[in-house]
Amino acid sequence: MEKILEVKDLEVSFQTYGGSVKAVRGVSFDLHKGETLAIVGESGSGKSVTSQTIMKLIPMPPGKITGGQILFNGDDIVPKTEKQMEKIRGKEISMIFQDPMTSLNPTMKIGTQIMEGLIKHQNMSKQAAKTRAVELLNLVGIPMPERRVNQYPHEFSGGMRQRAMIAIALAANPKLLIADEPTTALDVTIQAQILDLMKDLQSKMDTSIIFITHDLGVVANVADRVAVMYAGQIVEMGTVDEIFYDPRHPYTWGLLASMPSLDNDNKADLAAIPGTPPDLTNPPKGDAFAARNQYALAIDFEEEPPMYQISETHFAKTWLLHPDAPKVEPPEAVKKRMRQLSSTFDQAVLMKEGK
Amino acid sequence: MAKYIGKRLLYMLISLWLIITATFFFMRIAPGNPFTSEKQLPPEIEANLNAHYGLDKPWYAQYGDYLLKVVKWDFGPSFKYKSQTVNDLISEGFPVSFILGMEAILLAVAFGLILGIIAALKHNKWQDYTAMIIAVAGISVPSFIMATFLQYFLAIKMGIFPVARFETFMHTILPALALASTPMAFIARLTRSSMLEVMSNDYIKTAKAKGLSQGVITVKHAIRNALLPVVTYMGPLTAGILTGSFVIERIFGIPGLGAHFVTSITNRDYTVIMGVTVFYSIILLASILLVDIAYGIIDPRIKLAGGKKGE
Ligand SMILES: Nc1ncnc2c1ncn2[C@@H]1O[C@H](COP(=O)(O)OP(=O)(O)OP(=O)(O)O)[C@@H](O)[C@H]1O
Ligand code: SF4
Ligand SMILES: [Mg+2]
């Protein structure tokens, strides 16, 4: 499959009064055409910063890309100027934000907000853009689009605004869509509708999607692959099956154990991960998760673990995969669903630095 | 919309009636009368004068007379200048004050907005600091000091502008500047903070994610939203410029309504005080109505109550 995006060793930091916050610390992943990658992780783990950096939307300054590459269709985005980025944003890569209540301009008609991108990227006339805006509203399932184009955001419900946001994002047929928690602010039934809509549109337009969420339940429905982020790093990455049925990283275990499910509605079983993420101004020596990890080994406080490869598609960054590491049992809630996957290597393979 | 404006006009009439009534009774409570002076007038003459101006009638008759006249747009004669009516004074003085006021409002709004927007776009850079120093100076220096300052340097020392009077366009510049400095500084600060607030909003990020340039984002998305608090301030601004002009007109010897107003107070010229107060009130109420209508046009979320739902 064709690779549309390759992120290599990306590092982003923010200059603040308290020092420099290392929000993204060496993130690497890639994305194929038509594929959906979910990025999950706690609040503050760097999901939004990672994804916004792909469009260079983080405020610079205080933000700065301190290392790495972002290859979009083989072309590095990092050195590009604002003017060059304007041709990529909205046309090649689009973004949907978390809160549909605040991400639309309250004093501009919905139609105009959709038309802007069309006029900019597809050189459409006002009239043509308006016709297309009506089509797009129809496409995202907004009834009476001819009337709705002329309305303002406050006349839309939350779910409809998010549909309008999707229309804006898809207006210029982008090849990559980044959805940063697009359903978190919506209630459950609307969430499901929006997810269905996104999947439906993806299959029609063959868009690749990066889907950010901290709800693992959503992930199973939308994603092909999952990247688990912790403290600015990807600590485990694999296909949905690999992450759900054969997780290797204790942080992933923690996330899975704290996920509500039908057969697990007993509150006591929902173990939240204890403690808080580390301060990214001074990331700890060793593994960033060690202090919160009940399985932590002595080496975890000394040296950062390398990435191990468990299958063609499955990677985890934990010392537990070291051949000499003691065998540990994941928590009960996770163990219940563990199964042997056929693709798994016999032995975890240590990956060379900077693969 | 028409229904809304009709409703607002009705409220305006009620406020106006309250203002007229209040001024009428305050005037009566105030000690002394227009004929009080160092020299005691012979009682017969005073009685004559009172009769001539209707001051001998009981208060309710005077009040009724006055209301009736105001409705007919007749503010009566001036007590002090025998040959002039209050209507004469207003139609003479107001055009001058109006030109001065409009010029000042234009200056204040135009430069205030420009300074504020530049400061916000160049946040924490030298342009921002410069604009804010100008703003702080403008706010802390009262207009009458600004007026004397301008007169001294630009008119007397450098001779660029005439010192006083109100004859040509050049004459209008210094008083308008003096009058505009404080509100301009205010608008600059308001615009800056409002722009900064708006620029940090999610929808600005959405606009950027669409690939729009910084310029287009500023003009199409930021300014309109940032304008809302500024528009709200336009009501008090008009009031400020009107009242501010009393002093400025005195300093520059401008024969405007403000100057007449101040003189009429020292002269206890009842009819002039009342007439001008009523006239100012009408202008203020009208400008507040205009501001509200403008606000409704800029912000679609505001439904002008009583009007039809925006289609
Ligand atoms: N403009 C900024 N200035 C300073 N620090 C920032 C800035 N933006 C983000 N950060 C820091 O970067 C880190 C990662 O933030 P990010 O928003 O990516 O988290 P997230 O994973 O998206 O969390 P959430 O689930 O809450 O959205 C946080 O520690 C945050 O404080
Ligand atoms: S490397 Fe150590 S601290 Fe980090 S997740 Fe693995 S066992 Fe826990
Ligand atoms: Mg986020």
Side-chain angles (χ1 to χ4, degrees):
Chain A
M1 250 197 301
E2 202 183 321
K3 266 187 197 172
I4 183 153
L5 180 73
E6 266 181 282
V7 176
K8 290 185 180 169
D9 273 320
L10 184 66
E11 285 176 21
V12 182
S13 53
F14 290 95
Q15 220 54 52
T16 65
Y17 290 114
S20 120
V21 180
K22 299 170 189 73
V24 177
R25 306 185 297 143
V27 161
S28 304
F29 63 89
D30 43 27
L31 187 67
H32 300 280
K33 201 155 184 267
E35 186 189 33
T36 301
L37 173 74
I39 302 183
V40 297
E42 276 169 308
S43 192
S45 54
K47 307 181 295 287
S48 299
V49 173
T50 303
S51 56
Q52 289 181 14
T53 306
I54 295 172
M55 288 176 84
K56 296 235 273 192
L57 276 182
I58 52 164
M60 294 194 264
K64 189 169 191 293
I65 301 177
T66 46
Q69 285 181 307
I70 301 168
L71 302 179
F72 182 72
N73 278 331
D75 200 9
D76 193 2
I77 277 179
V78 175
K80 287 204 190 304
T81 63
E82 269 301 289
K83 270 273 158 284
Q84 291 170 318
M85 285 313 295
E86 281 166 23
K87 297 207 178 68
I88 295 176
R89 294 186 191 129
K91 185 176 186 210
E92 307 284 340
I93 311 178
S94 274
M95 189 142 187
I96 306 172
F97 297 96
Q98 172 169 350
D99 191 351
M101 293 310 193
T102 57
S103 44
L104 290 166
N105 182 346
T107 61
M108 190 185 270
K109 286 177 182 165
I110 295 280
T112 316
Q113 300 193 44
I114 300 175
M115 286 154 61
E116 278 183 323
L118 294 168
I119 294 170
K120 164 109 191 180
H121 297 302
Q122 309 202 324
N123 288 323
M124 280 193 186
S125 69
K126 259 202 154 122
Q127 204 43 56
K130 182 138 187 190
T131 314
R132 178 80 184 126
V134 173
E135 282 170 24
L136 281 162
L137 285 180
N138 194 31
L139 186 73
V140 297
I142 290 182
M144 290 190 288
E146 296 84 3
R147 212 163 72 80
R148 292 292 190 171
V149 270
N150 292 320
Q151 289 187 337
Y152 290 94
H154 72 274
E155 296 169 82
F156 279 49
S157 68
M160 292 228 286
R161 287 191 207 188
Q162 201 59 305
R163 284 173 192 268
M165 267 305 292
I166 294 175
I168 291 174
L170 295 181
N173 283 320
K175 303 189 181 57
L176 170 59
L177 177 66
I178 301 173
D180 191 349
E181 310 205 26
T183 59
T184 310
L186 304 173
D187 64 53
V188 185
T189 39
I190 311 290
Q191 268 188 22
Q193 291 172 13
I194 297 287
L195 291 177
D196 284 344
L197 173 67
M198 287 184 60
K199 277 195 285 188
D200 181 40
L201 293 178
Q202 179 180 31
S203 62
K204 279 184 195 151
M205 299 185 168
D206 205 22
T207 321
S208 309
I209 297 183
I210 294 180
F211 192 99
I212 296 168
T213 178
H214 45 237
D215 182 356
L216 272 172
V218 171
V219 170
N221 290 323
V222 295
D224 301 308
R225 279 190 305 134
V226 185
V228 180
M229 270 193 90
Y230 182 77
Q233 297 177 323
I234 291 182
V235 293
E236 183 161 9
M237 181 156 62
T239 63
V240 170
D241 282 351
E242 283 164 345
I243 297 297
F244 276 84
Y245 302 120
D246 188 22
R248 297 302 176 101
H249 196 283
Y251 181 65
T252 314
W253 295 346
L255 284 182
L256 285 167
S258 60
M259 179 179 117
S261 66
L262 286 180
D263 51 283
N264 173 11
D265 49 10
N266 185 350
K267 274 251 157 51
D269 283 2
L270 289 186
I273 303 171
T276 49
D279 169 21
L280 291 177
T281 321
N282 293 301
K285 197 170 138 199
D287 189 62
F289 190 51
R292 302 170 69 187
N293 184 3
Q294 59 177 114
Y295 310 99
L297 315 169
I299 188 172
D300 294 328
F301 296 94
E302 293 300 323
E303 202 177 324
E304 209 184 303
M307 194 63 108
Y308 287 93
Q309 187 167 14
I310 302 121
S311 80
E312 240 1 281
T313 47
H314 192 181
F315 307 86
K317 188 178 168 64
T318 169
W319 282 122
L320 290 179
L321 292 172
H322 192 275
D324 298 339
K327 285 278 154 280
V328 299
E329 294 281 303
E332 203 45 43
V334 176
K335 225 170 92 183
K336 270 197 300 205
R337 66 172 113 217
M338 289 280 248
R339 44 178 112 131
Q340 183 66 41
L341 298 175
S342 57
S343 58
T344 312
F345 300 157
D346 299 333
Q347 175 75 53
V349 181
L350 177 66
M351 286 176 60
K352 282 191 263 357
E353 281 302 306
K355 164 213 159 176
Chain B
M1 192 67 169
K3 200 172 154 200
Y4 170 77
I5 295 178
K7 209 159 126 195
R8 286 293 304 263
L9 285 176
L10 186 70
Y11 288 147
M12 272 175 67
L13 281 181
I14 296 173
S15 331
L16 213 54
W17 172 71
L18 288 175
I19 292 168
I20 294 171
T21 311
T23 17
F24 182 85
F25 287 105
F26 280 133
M27 287 292 92
R28 289 190 58 91
I29 299 168
N33 69 46
F35 315 121
T36 315
S37 53
E38 289 107 72
K39 232 173 36 180
Q40 195 63 44
L41 286 171
E44 314 80 69
I45 296 186
E46 194 164 338
N48 251 342
L49 280 169
N50 280 342
H52 177 72
Y53 290 111
L55 294 180
D56 56 343
K57 292 194 199 163
W59 67 267
Y60 49 84
Q62 286 186 36
Y63 175 65
D65 281 353
Y66 190 71
L67 271 187
L68 214 69
K69 279 183 160 178
V70 170
V71 171
K72 288 191 246 162
W73 200 254
D74 174 7
F75 295 109
S78 160
F79 284 174
K80 211 73 188 184
Y81 309 101
K82 308 270 147 27
S83 54
Q84 275 187 311
T85 65
V86 179
N87 287 41
D88 289 340
L89 285 178
I90 291 178
S91 54
E92 223 170 76
F94 179 64
V96 174
S97 295
F98 182 75
I99 292 175
L100 178 60
M102 283 320 267
E103 229 174 88
I105 290 179
L106 272 178
L107 275 175
V109 171
F111 285 99
L113 284 180
I114 293 173
L115 275 183
I117 290 171
I118 291 179
L121 290 182
K122 303 281 177 187
H123 186 39
N124 282 342
K125 301 215 174 81
W126 66 265
Q127 294 94 327
D128 184 14
Y129 298 129
T130 316
M132 284 309 105
I133 289 171
I134 297 178
V136 169
I139 288 176
S140 26
V141 179
S143 62
F144 59 91
I145 293 187
M146 182 59 98
T148 0
F149 187 78
L150 290 173
Q151 261 180 339
Y152 182 73
F153 284 101
L154 296 182
I156 297 174
K157 281 269 158 179
M158 303 169 72
I160 307 175
F161 297 101
V163 181
R165 312 227 73 81
F166 208 71
E167 279 139 24
T168 62
F169 176 67
M170 287 300 267
H171 285 86
T172 66
I173 293 178
L174 288 191
L177 267 180
L179 203 49
S181 64
T182 304
M184 181 210 71
F186 225 93
I187 292 178
R189 299 231 317 204
L190 204 61
T191 309
R192 173 178 179 269
S193 61
S194 166
M195 273 293 278
L196 285 178
E197 201 265 325
V198 164
M199 293 299 277
S200 72
N201 265 315
D202 285 353
Y203 57 81
I204 297 296
K205 211 162 222 182
T206 306
K208 203 170 171 196
K210 274 183 221 173
L212 303 182
S213 65
Q214 189 60 50
V216 173
I217 293 174
T218 309
V219 174
K220 286 192 147 175
H221 290 267
I223 290 182
R224 181 168 179 169
N225 287 293
L227 227 46
L228 294 172
V230 180
V231 171
T232 319
Y233 173 65
M234 290 301 285
L237 168 73
T238 320
I241 293 222
L242 280 180
T243 44
S245 74
F246 298 173
V247 184
I248 297 295
E249 286 179 11
R250 270 314 261 276
I251 294 176
F252 285 93
I254 297 168
L257 202 49
H260 286 314
F261 195 43
V262 179
T263 330
S264 69
I265 291 176
T266 37
N267 287 342
R268 291 206 191 79
D269 200 341
Y270 285 2
T271 44
V272 178
I273 300 177
M274 288 167 62
V276 176
T277 308
V278 172
F279 184 74
Y280 274 145
S281 313
I282 294 175
I283 297 201
L284 264 182
L285 290 170
S287 61
I288 292 172
L289 175 64
L290 282 181
V291 164
D292 285 354
I293 292 175
Y295 205 92
I297 291 173
I298 296 183
D299 189 347
R301 284 165 298 185
I302 305 223
K303 282 268 141 54
L304 300 180
K308 270 241 277 301
K309 237 188 124 177
E311 285 296 304

